[in-house]
Amino acid sequence: MERAKEEAQKARQRTFLEWNGIGMAVFESGSKGGYAFKVTTGEFGATWFFKKPNPKDPWGIRVSSNSFFLAINGFEGARSKIYETMAALEITLLPTAESISRVDYAIDFLAPDFTLTPEHFVMHSNARRADHIEKIDMAVNGRSGRATSVTIGTMPGRQVIVYDKRAEIIAKKKVGWWEIWDAPRLEGGLPALERDAPEKCSIWRVELRAGKKHLKERSGVTTWTDLDDRFGDVVAATLDAIRYASPNADSNRSRWPDSALWTEVKHQTQDDLFEMHSTADPDLVRYVQKEAHDRLLAGQMAGLLTSRAALHGIDDAHLAEFAALIGEQMAQQIEDDPERFFQKLHKAADRFRLG
């Protein structure tokens, strides 16, 4: 990891490292808290943080699971894979050598008619709310803006976030979520979501977060066993303390009833919280993500090509001819300096090996 980190710093990009069959990308820097190394096992894996060995510090490793990793494997599957990775890296753990520092629990709802209204949240007076407003075209929607995310609370305490998940996956190119959402629909005989019709497939995520302070000081959650036994109570208490309500004529907001959304959230969290996972084909989700990235790169190449054509004064009739010429020039550059391009190819290949 030390050598890979040095290489990453020289190259100013993550360096691929494989150890005992575990592939990882090593970042240029570590992380706060004394973690000298930060690595990722990919978009469908986890982010790992390692300290240099120190007998006086028993907490040498931190791991954070990525959302695709959890969605596809489920909680138990993700936890098992984390331990499999540590075993492959020859990391020996003592019994109850874990400390749970944060848990995020999310549920996605197909809610085309839902409008997020910050004023409809009812919470304790000591809870803080952060509103994120997305400005949109008034001509299209008839108003100057809409709330796309409301965050209540601060970490490392507890937080409740309601946000437009459809907008987020489009903005961040996380198109694999379409396959995850479609899988149970197709199994149940329902049609796939109409991805290009936001008025029909608006997806809202309700996310509950419990940080280290809240887990340990308020709920006594430290180990996996504690989490299994008490997380349901943590979620129930959070949903009672912070609610999305349905306003009525009562001037006392605390007496407003739960909205239909909050009632459904409470219903969905009554059962075993750790059993849910996606039935989507993991290989298909990976393929969709890869294809999306390929389309992005292709679009960037086309944009650069047309920009160069404009710079050289190429007209419409000769654009295709110019594109062929650029291709020949690129091929010649590779033949003139193959070693340089082979190195670039290998570095790029390393970046995609974890997909």
Side-chain angles (χ1 to χ4, degrees), residues 111-128:
D113 299 325
F114 177 74
T115 299
L116 180 61
T117 306
E119 292 75 22
H120 290 184
F121 279 96
V122 177
M123 67 210 82
H124 292 314
S125 59
N126 62 351
R128 298 177 60 189

Side-chain angles (χ1 to χ4, degrees), residues 11-264:
R12 295 184 179 180
Q13 65 181 31
R14 291 176 289 180
T15 300
F16 182 80
L17 171 67
E18 184 170 343
W19 184 266
N20 285 359
I22 302 298
M24 64 191 84
V26 182
F27 287 77
E28 301 173 50
S29 60
S31 183
K32 62 181 181 180
Y35 296 95
F37 308 104
K38 177 183 176 181
V39 311
T40 176
T41 54
E43 193 171 21
F44 293 86
T47 303
W48 295 75
F49 307 83
F50 297 92
K51 295 180 181 178
K52 291 184 178 180
N54 181 358
K56 297 181 180 180
D57 184 356
W59 303 109
I61 302 169
R62 179 161 62 93
V63 59
S64 176
S65 298
N66 297 336
S67 58
F68 277 136
F69 183 56
L70 281 166
I72 289 175
N73 295 290
F75 174 75
E76 289 297 344
R79 179 162 58 178
S80 295
K81 288 184 179 295
I82 286 173
Y83 278 89
E84 289 171 8
T85 299
M86 286 192 287
L89 295 176
E90 300 178 4
I91 297 167
T92 302
L93 293 179
L94 298 173
T96 65
E98 73 277 1
S99 179
I100 311 302
S101 63
R102 173 171 168 172
V103 182
D104 296 356
Y105 193 86
I107 309 176
D108 297 334
F109 293 94
L110 175 63
D113 299 325
F114 177 74
T115 299
L116 180 61
T117 306
E119 292 75 22
H120 290 184
F121 279 96
V122 177
M123 67 210 82
H124 292 314
S125 59
N126 62 351
R128 298 177 60 189
R129 187 183 77 196
D131 302 340
H132 304 284
I133 304 298
E134 173 195 59
K135 291 189 176 180
I136 54 178
D137 193 335
M138 183 181 296
V140 174
N141 292 282
R143 50 191 176 184
S144 60
R146 62 185 283 261
T148 59
S149 174
V150 174
T151 301
I152 299 168
T154 57
M155 301 300 284
R158 67 180 173 188
Q159 285 183 323
V160 171
I161 304 175
V162 180
Y163 63 99
D164 186 341
K165 187 63 179 178
R166 178 185 182 277
E168 189 213 38
I169 71 162
I170 292 174
K172 295 184 178 180
K173 305 295 190 297
K174 294 184 177 181
V175 295
W177 278 101
W178 291 117
E179 304 302 326
I180 292 173
W181 290 329
D182 277 342
R185 292 179 60 83
L186 297 175
E187 287 182 357
L190 296 173
L193 294 169
E194 296 185 44
R195 304 179 182 188
D196 297 326
E199 71 280 2
K200 295 182 180 180
C201 68
S202 179
I203 308 290
W204 289 88
R205 170 165 291 187
V206 176
E207 188 164 326
L208 314 175
R209 298 176 178 176
K212 184 176 182 178
K213 183 176 181 180
H214 184 76
L215 287 171
K216 288 176 169 53
E217 295 181 7
R218 295 287 298 274
S219 307
V221 173
T222 299
T223 66
W224 291 123
T225 300
D226 296 335
L227 187 66
D228 292 337
D229 292 343
R230 300 172 192 159
F231 188 61
D233 295 334
V234 172
V235 168
T238 298
L239 293 174
D240 284 336
I242 303 170
R243 302 184 299 114
Y244 191 74
S246 180
N248 57 26
D250 197 325
S251 60
N252 188 337
R253 292 166 54 89
S254 66
R255 289 198 291 262
W256 287 358
D258 289 344
S259 66
L261 173 69
W262 224 242
T263 299
E264 185 61 23

